[in-house]
């Protein structure tokens, strides 16, 4: 095997980690090192950038422990049959890299994933050793996100949750049939069992004993999962349906969607719905509507006949255009639930409208100051000093929101 320097390994394994969706440290317990007895902090200003739900940008050292893997998942660039450059970090190297980068203020935490080497238990054991060394020996108080191996022993996953801020267990694909076809060595039942165990263990960590003592914290920032989008031909209704079940069944903090793109050296013929990144973006938008805006799955996915989201416009706008008869709504009297369905209105804008209208009439310019996107909303609302007139029912309303056609060059 070729011997690489630590920097060469970093280049290989940070690039290999780009297919793992990362999350931020929101939701974790605040820790800092101002006492001088430890290093790092999981809050404040920050080589990967991730965004918290509150919009804060944080920096994570995002790497694979190794991109060697005994599995042959057809959608994965690091599968055993893939002809890619391989490397492996030792436990000592990951610990040293993390601490060195932290002390230079390059990062605020560690996002660690790995291919499966030797066995799930052997891989998970090394990942836990890294987290244990950071916490116990280096007094590292920064953010740690571990991508766990669902086939590993439950006691290893439990220890990982006691050391890390967030755990991830990848559900991989939207259906069990797709997993059987494209990742035959993985067991969807075992994946869901591991996710359920994490949920139960986290719940137990919230319960006080009869003496009032709390048990040790367990994955305080919760657990998340990742769905590969576009590798198996599932439509968006199937993908979002799976996400809805995962959120409710396992109390996940987040489902991450990872757009599949064909791997250049792949011999497997996998379907591709183009463009993958645009589809991924629309799925995140739809996910947000399902979680925070009161939409249900059928409303969002019935806009098009094939159960896929409209790639040209965002899901809320697509729904509104299909239900033009419900608009315009009056911002002076409409309920919160109705205002949340107005294109261009976010949850903060709606809250500001409701707060302001208790004292005075909400006008067009007020909504602009509140952060509402009137470029989208103007056709769907009436306000003080504004009426859309015939704009709401105009036949070309959709064309106002879609990009103009481009003349392709012949050269």
């Amino acid at each position: 095997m070729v011997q690489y320097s630590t920097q060469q390994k970093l280049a290989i394994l940070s690039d290999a980690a780009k297919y793992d969706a990362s999350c931020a440290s929101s939701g974790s317990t605040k820790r800092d090192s101002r006492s001088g007895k430890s290093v790092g902090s999981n809050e404040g200003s920050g080589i990967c950038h991730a965004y918290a739900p509150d919009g804060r940008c944080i920096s994570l050292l995002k790497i694979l422990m190794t991109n060697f893997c005994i599995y042959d998942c057809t959608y994965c660039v690091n599968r055993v049959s893939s002809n890619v450059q391989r490397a492996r970090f030792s436990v000592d190297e990951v610990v040293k890299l993390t601490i060195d980068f932290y002390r230079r203020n390059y990062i605020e935490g560690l996002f660690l994933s790995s291919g499966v080497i030797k066995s799930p238990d052997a891989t998970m054991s090394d990942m836990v050793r890294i987290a244990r060394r950071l916490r116990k020996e280096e007094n590292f108080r920064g953010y740690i996100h571990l991508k766990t191996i669902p086939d590993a022993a439950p006691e290893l996953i439990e220890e990982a949750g006691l050391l890390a801020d967030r755990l991830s267990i990848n559900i991989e694909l939207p259906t069990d049939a797709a997993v059987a076809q494209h990742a035959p060595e993985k067991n969807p039942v075992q994946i869901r069992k591991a996710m359920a165990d994490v949920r139960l263990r986290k719940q137990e960590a919230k319960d006080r004993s009869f003496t009032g003592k709390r048990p040790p914290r367990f994955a305080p920032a919760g657990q998340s999962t990742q769905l590969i989008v576009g590798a198996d031909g599932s439509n968006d209704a199937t993908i979002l349906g799976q996400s809805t079940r995962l959120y409710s069944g396992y109390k996940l903090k987040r489902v991450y969607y990872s757009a599949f793109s064909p791997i250049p050296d792949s011999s497997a013929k996998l379907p591709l719905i183009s463009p993958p990144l645009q589809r991924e973006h629309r799925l995140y938008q739809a996910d947000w509507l399902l979680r925070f805006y009161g939409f249900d799955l059928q409303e969002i996915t019935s806009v098009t006949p094939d159960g896929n989201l409209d790639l040209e416009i965002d899901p809320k706008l697509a729904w509104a255009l299909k239900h033009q008869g419900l608009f315009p709504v009056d911002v002076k009297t409409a309920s919160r639930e109705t205002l949340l369905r107005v294109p261009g209105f976010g949850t903060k804008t709606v809250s500001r409208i409701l707060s302001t209208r208790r004292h005075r009439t909400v006008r067009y310019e007020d909504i602009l100051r509140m952060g509402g996107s009137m470029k989208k909303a103007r056709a769907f609302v009436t306000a003080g000093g504004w009426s859309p007139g015939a704009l709401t029912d105009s036949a070309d309303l959709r064309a106002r929101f879609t990009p103009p056609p481009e003349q392709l060059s012949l050269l």
Side-chain angles (χ1 to χ4, degrees), residues 143-343:
Y143 178 76
I144 297 178
H145 179 173
L146 294 182
K147 283 265 182 147
T148 58
I149 314 297
D151 293 329
E155 56 267 26
L156 287 172
I157 297 179
E158 180 173 355
E159 185 175 1
L162 295 172
L163 296 166
D165 294 271
R166 178 169 289 185
L167 298 181
S168 288
I169 300 174
N170 285 358
I171 201 71
E172 304 294 349
L173 293 164
T175 66
D176 288 1
V179 175
Q181 180 181 358
H182 298 295
E185 292 122 326
K186 296 184 178 179
N187 184 344
V189 174
Q190 178 58 34
I191 293 172
R192 289 192 290 269
K193 181 183 182 302
M195 293 174 71
D197 289 345
V198 170
R199 178 194 170 181
L200 291 174
R201 184 64 181 80
K202 184 168 174 57
Q203 182 60 44
E204 291 171 359
K206 296 179 180 178
D207 298 333
R208 295 179 183 271
S209 68
F210 68 93
T211 62
K213 184 178 180 181
R214 282 190 180 275
R217 295 178 308 117
F218 185 86
Q223 70 166 316
S224 58
T225 193
Q226 182 171 333
L227 273 171
I228 307 299
V229 175
D232 68 321
S234 294
N235 65 14
D236 293 335
T238 301
I239 294 169
L240 291 169
Q242 174 70 294
S243 296
T244 301
R245 291 187 291 273
L246 292 170
Y247 278 122
S248 61
Y250 304 103
K251 304 302 179 186
L252 300 183
K253 283 293 184 180
R254 194 69 186 270
V255 174
Y256 288 90
Y257 306 98
S258 182
F260 168 78
S261 295
I263 300 165
D265 71 339
S266 176
S267 59
K269 294 182 178 179
L270 298 172
L272 177 66
I273 300 177
S274 297
L277 290 178
Q278 181 70 354
R279 187 186 186 200
E280 177 187 298
H281 178 58
R282 296 297 181 215
L283 283 166
Y284 275 117
Q285 291 176 321
D287 181 288
W288 214 250
L289 295 181
L290 291 170
R291 295 166 63 202
F292 303 113
Y293 285 76
F295 284 82
D296 63 43
L297 180 64
Q298 178 65 20
E299 287 179 303
I300 293 175
T301 58
S302 63
V303 171
T304 59
D306 61 359
N308 286 311
L309 301 173
D310 192 323
L311 294 180
E312 291 189 323
I313 54 178
D314 69 76
K316 189 200 283 192
L317 179 56
W319 177 85
L321 290 173
K322 284 288 185 179
H323 299 83
Q324 287 178 237
L326 301 177
F327 298 97
V329 300
D330 190 344
V331 298
K332 299 189 296 295
T333 59
S335 66
R336 176 181 178 83
E337 292 73 21
T338 300
L339 290 173
L340 284 172
R341 290 174 176 253
V342 174

Side-chain angles (χ1 to χ4, degrees), residues 19-89:
Y19 300 103
D20 277 296
S22 61
C23 67
S25 58
S26 287
S28 179
T29 302
K30 183 176 181 179
R31 297 188 298 269
D32 63 51
S33 56
R34 285 174 290 184
S35 66
K37 297 180 180 179
S38 53
V39 297
S41 167
N42 69 342
E43 298 209 0
S45 59
I47 359 192
C48 147
H49 293 94
Y51 289 89
D54 59 7
R56 182 170 54 92
C57 180
I58 68 169
S59 300
L60 304 175
L61 174 59
K62 181 180 176 184
I63 55 174
L64 298 186
M65 187 174 70
T66 180
N67 63 345
F68 285 99
C69 191
I70 62 175
Y71 294 156
D72 200 25
C73 306
T74 58
Y75 51 81
C76 182
V77 69
N78 297 314
R79 66 189 184 279
V80 67
S81 61
S82 180
N83 184 25
V84 296
Q85 195 174 20
R86 307 282 183 174
R88 178 180 176 180
F89 278 128

Side-chain angles (χ1 to χ4, degrees), residues 111-123:
F111 176 97
L112 183 64
S113 184
S114 182
V116 178
I117 47 174
K118 295 183 181 179
S119 70
D121 281 357
T123 305

